[in-house]
Amino acid sequence: MASKAIFSTLRRSLTKPNRAVSRRHHLSTSSAATASEPYAGDEHAIVMKGVRISGRPLYLDMQSTTPLDPRVFDAMNASSIYDYGNPHSRTHLYGWEAENAVEVARIQVAKLIGASPKEIVFLSGATEANNTVVKGVMHFYKDKKRHVITTQTEHKCVLDSCRHLQQEGFEVTYLPVRTDGLVDLEMLREAIRPDTGLVSVMAVNNEIGVVQPMEEIGRICKEHKVPFHTDAAQAIGKIPVDVEKWNVSFMSMSGHKIYGPKGIGAMYVRRRPRVRLEPLMNGGGQERGLRSGTLATQQVVGFGVACELAMKEMEYDEKWIKRLQERLLNGVREKLDGVVVNGSLESRYAGNLNLSFAYVEGESLLMGLKEVAVSSGSACTSASLEPSYVLRALGVDEDMAHTSIRFGIGRFTTEEEIDKAVELTVKQVEKLREMSPLYEMVKEGIDIKNIQWSQH
Amino acid sequence: MVDKGQVISLCRSLLWAGRQYPDYNIREYAKRRTLDGFLMNKNLTDHSKVEDAYAEGKKQLEVVERVVKVYLAYPPKTKNIMELKLQ
């Protein structure tokens, strides 16, 4: 009797999975279509855009944006709850408290770049700051100054603003860069004319990570008395920035590149010697008349705290990121040949590593690296199929430009993530090279560039 | 006057609080930064500096405890690849 009971319970427990399967047939067609087949042990798999990954990829794209630091999050929470007054209301406590919070943040931002708090203007991001400076300065001095100098590797928003100015009738010189990504100072000196109204050179490039020689460029601009604008969105909090040493008149800063919130940025506008600017946003005259509109207090507070943290942690982060960069580069170079670093390795911000792998097709490499969140080219240009204009300006061949991958290392990256990224990249590149007939030919010693391909 | 026992107990509280973050990267950063922070100030002899560092540590502990509560209130729906492989 007891054995019968045991066997019946055994039979019941063994038939349970089948009953679960038959229950699924009662699902409506739409949910049956979206319900994925259960893999053994793969309950955490994410299926999105036709790609199946077993878990969240490891984040190595710090140049496009950074995660929010918990200390910044904490400050923003308190501010969202209590500082809801309009900072520009002068008549009641709510306005005064919000204004205090904004002024504290202004001092924190100013300290990071060595400026006075009165010279900081908050706006919605580095793109708005770049637009305001490039268009605003030239529109203000449009009678006397008709020429702008910029480089070919600038951010899209600067290049697009210059194109807009060209359509209005201004002249723009796009300075070419050397193969290591740095601006040639002699060419800059020659390009400056008496009617040059602005020189715009970004401090740290977002795609290749090279650091331009800011002090020398600042000295040249001071000699010729031309205002110097720099897009320092990738530079603040990462390399030491000093507006006096660099002799900049304008600087664009962005919050979400230094572990702060998105949707906030700042513009530094020099007061001595005074440079004038036509505002892009007209209205009630807030922010010295240069950017009207109510400030988002909690975003500003978050940006301020992020800047203060960046100042405190700059040395510590730099050591850690440099260590991880060497680990990544050496790890990849040990196992693979034909790895090229785009841009100068010496004058570089350590957290940005742009590698090109020879004899590998770029799109397939990116598709295979779906467990690593990296970027190829900048986020702004990755929608189109053509290779990034920055790499083209460096003189990189089309096929190498297509296989470039940008690894972004940041404060929160761990050694295990770097090791895993190296392992995945090496595996994927080796797999693609094995399949590639071009690589076979190279291994046999044939020079690909001198082949006469027969027409079919 | 801050003594050695208090410093060690502060370090232990910070490490324990940091271990509760649901996000892999922030959890690892909290552990590394706490340990490095205490190691960097290991050889301070000036009393006022030691008091300042201790006060700073206490402030960070408050921040971590507050923030972890919010992070745990919105648990992540997907697991990070690094956590899966460790299983």
Side-chain angles (χ1 to χ4, degrees):
Chain A
M1 285 310 287
S3 57
K4 247 202 206 158
I6 293 171
F7 280 129
S8 65
T9 43
L10 252 178
R11 218 182 305 129
R12 229 177 294 138
S13 58
L14 284 174
T15 53
K16 266 206 183 92
N18 287 337
R19 225 179 282 154
V21 167
S22 64
R23 214 178 288 141
R24 257 191 310 136
H25 292 313
H26 296 302
L27 289 172
S28 70
T29 42
S30 60
S31 42
T34 50
S36 47
E37 295 296 330
Y39 270 46
D42 208 3
E43 313 91 36
H44 306 287
I46 311 169
V47 182
M48 246 184 139
K49 305 212 179 208
V51 175
R52 179 188 203 94
I53 28 180
S54 45
R56 281 188 106 71
L58 36 103
Y59 191 73
L60 283 182
D61 198 13
M62 297 290 176
Q63 272 71 43
S64 66
T65 186
T66 51
L68 201 57
D69 193 301
R71 297 163 279 194
V72 171
F73 177 62
D74 181 56
M76 280 174 67
N77 271 344
S79 183
S80 321
I81 299 175
Y82 295 110
D83 294 334
Y84 59 82
N86 189 324
H88 313 293
S89 305
R90 299 193 165 220
T91 53
H92 48 71
L93 178 74
Y94 298 97
W96 304 333
E97 281 190 335
E99 192 184 353
N100 274 345
V102 165
E103 292 309 311
V104 164
R106 216 186 283 273
I107 295 175
Q108 287 166 331
V109 175
K111 250 204 240 159
L112 179 62
I113 60 173
S116 142
K118 297 194 193 153
E119 296 170 317
I120 305 284
V121 172
F122 286 115
L123 10 77
S124 72
T127 303
E128 189 185 338
N130 283 334
N131 270 272
T132 309
V133 171
V134 172
K135 291 183 193 152
V137 172
M138 292 320 287
H139 286 160
F140 192 86
Y141 293 110
K142 62 176 178 282
D143 300 321
K144 300 234 183 65
K145 309 279 184 183
R146 306 291 299 177
H147 182 224
V148 180
I149 299 179
T150 182
T151 64
Q152 285 177 359
T153 52
E154 288 294 304
H155 194 260
K156 244 345 178 147
C157 54
V158 174
L159 293 179
D160 217 51
S161 308
C162 291
R163 190 153 45 108
H164 179 96
L165 288 178
Q166 263 180 312
Q167 282 171 348
E168 289 181 355
F170 292 87
E171 286 170 34
V172 182
T173 303
Y174 299 95
L175 286 178
V177 291
R178 303 200 298 250
T179 44
D180 60 357
L182 298 172
V183 156
D184 192 338
L185 297 167
E186 285 314 312
M187 295 194 73
L188 171 63
R189 214 186 281 272
E190 283 163 30
I192 295 185
R193 302 185 333 207
D195 68 340
T196 300
L198 187 68
V199 168
S200 175
V201 179
M202 73 193 317
V204 174
N205 190 295
N206 55 325
E207 279 198 48
I208 47 183
V210 292
V211 181
Q212 302 286 354
M214 302 304 286
E215 289 187 28
E216 283 83 1
I217 301 178
R219 209 176 312 134
I220 296 177
C221 291
K222 193 169 182 173
E223 267 176 46
H224 298 264
K225 297 209 179 18
V226 178
F228 178 26
H229 163 249
T230 174
D231 177 2
Q234 299 280 350
I236 50 165
K238 306 191 170 144
I239 58 170
V241 172
D242 190 336
V243 291
E244 295 302 323
K245 260 202 245 158
W246 287 7
N247 191 45
V248 280
S249 311
F250 304 100
M251 186 187 282
S252 313
M253 296 170 261
S254 172
H256 68 107
K257 305 269 168 42
I258 49 169
Y259 312 95
K262 294 183 184 47
I264 188 75
M267 182 169 66
Y268 161 77
V269 180
R270 186 178 275 275
R271 282 173 87 225
R272 288 204 202 99
R274 186 117 175 258
V275 266
R276 307 288 303 271
L277 180 52
E278 207 185 70
L280 208 59
M281 289 285 177
N282 300 100
Q286 284 86 12
E287 298 290 301
R288 281 167 61 191
L290 296 174
R291 208 283 183 179
S292 307
T294 305
L295 283 175
T297 314
Q298 97 251 19
Q299 304 287 88
V300 169
V301 165
F303 185 28
V305 171
C307 286
E308 187 179 1
L309 273 175
M311 201 164 72
K312 272 198 256 170
E313 309 263 328
M314 204 188 310
E315 209 184 301
Y316 177 74
D317 285 342
E318 197 187 316
K319 263 194 283 190
W320 178 249
I321 292 175
K322 183 103 194 98
R323 187 165 138 197
L324 289 185
Q325 186 214 32
E326 280 167 8
R327 203 182 171 106
L328 178 59
L329 195 52
N330 295 339
V332 170
R333 278 214 167 125
E334 264 172 23
K335 310 237 177 80
L336 295 174
D337 60 336
V339 173
V340 176
V341 177
N342 295 318
S344 147
L345 203 49
E346 295 81 29
S347 177
R348 183 183 206 96
Y349 165 57
N352 184 331
L353 193 59
N354 193 314
L355 300 175
S356 275
F357 300 95
Y359 322 117
V360 167
E361 214 272 298
E363 300 298 320
S364 36
L365 179 59
L366 260 191
M367 281 322 325
L369 280 181
K370 51 193 164 88
E371 290 189 338
V372 183
V374 283
S375 151
S376 147
S378 73
C380 319
T381 58
S382 54
S384 57
L385 285 176
E386 53 176 71
S388 132
Y389 61 92
V390 172
L391 294 175
R392 208 164 353 121
L394 287 180
V396 174
D397 288 331
E398 288 253 337
D399 49 347
M400 292 294 272
H402 270 296
T403 70
S404 73
I405 301 246
R406 178 184 72 185
F407 292 98
I409 307 171
R411 192 188 281 171
F412 298 121
T413 321
T414 60
E415 277 179 350
E416 290 87 9
E417 282 187 324
I418 295 287
D419 292 338
K420 182 130 198 84
V422 165
E423 181 196 314
L424 287 170
T425 313
V426 165
K427 198 167 74 169
Q428 186 66 15
V429 170
E430 279 177 348
K431 191 169 87 172
L432 286 172
R433 277 185 178 165
E434 225 172 304
M435 293 195 291
S436 155
L438 278 180
Y439 191 57
E440 277 174 37
M441 295 203 294
V442 165
K443 290 245 286 259
E444 287 169 15
I446 304 174
D447 183 12
I448 295 190
K449 305 240 188 284
N450 294 335
I451 298 178
Q452 292 284 19
W453 300 104
S454 62
Q455 309 282 37
H456 281 275
Chain B
M1 232 335 274
V2 176
D3 65 17
K4 185 170 172 182
Q6 282 178 304
V7 170
I8 293 186
S9 105
L10 176 65
C11 185
R12 229 200 317 246
S13 321
L14 268 170
L15 284 174
W16 191 82
R19 237 185 289 157
Q20 299 178 322
Y21 277 115
D23 182 81
Y24 166 78
N25 291 91
I26 300 188
R27 197 169 53 228
E28 295 292 312
Y29 174 74
K31 182 171 87 172
R32 172 171 54 94
R33 184 67 183 87
T34 314
L35 289 173
D36 282 339
F38 278 87
L39 279 174
M40 278 196 289
N41 293 335
K42 194 170 65 162
N43 297 323
L44 280 180
T45 46
D46 188 3
H47 288 327
S48 62
K49 285 217 178 74
V50 169
E51 303 242 346
D52 287 341
Y54 186 75
E56 171 80 33
K58 267 237 164 302
K59 205 162 61 110
Q60 296 296 328
L61 179 62
E62 280 172 31
V63 169
V64 173
E65 286 179 341
R66 266 200 302 257
V67 168
V68 156
K69 285 196 195 123
V70 182
Y71 275 52
L72 287 172
Y74 300 99
K77 303 194 184 86
T78 47
K79 281 202 142 182
N80 197 311
I81 283 203
M82 301 303 296
E83 291 169 340
L84 286 179
K85 304 293 178 189
L86 288 173
Q87 275 172 7

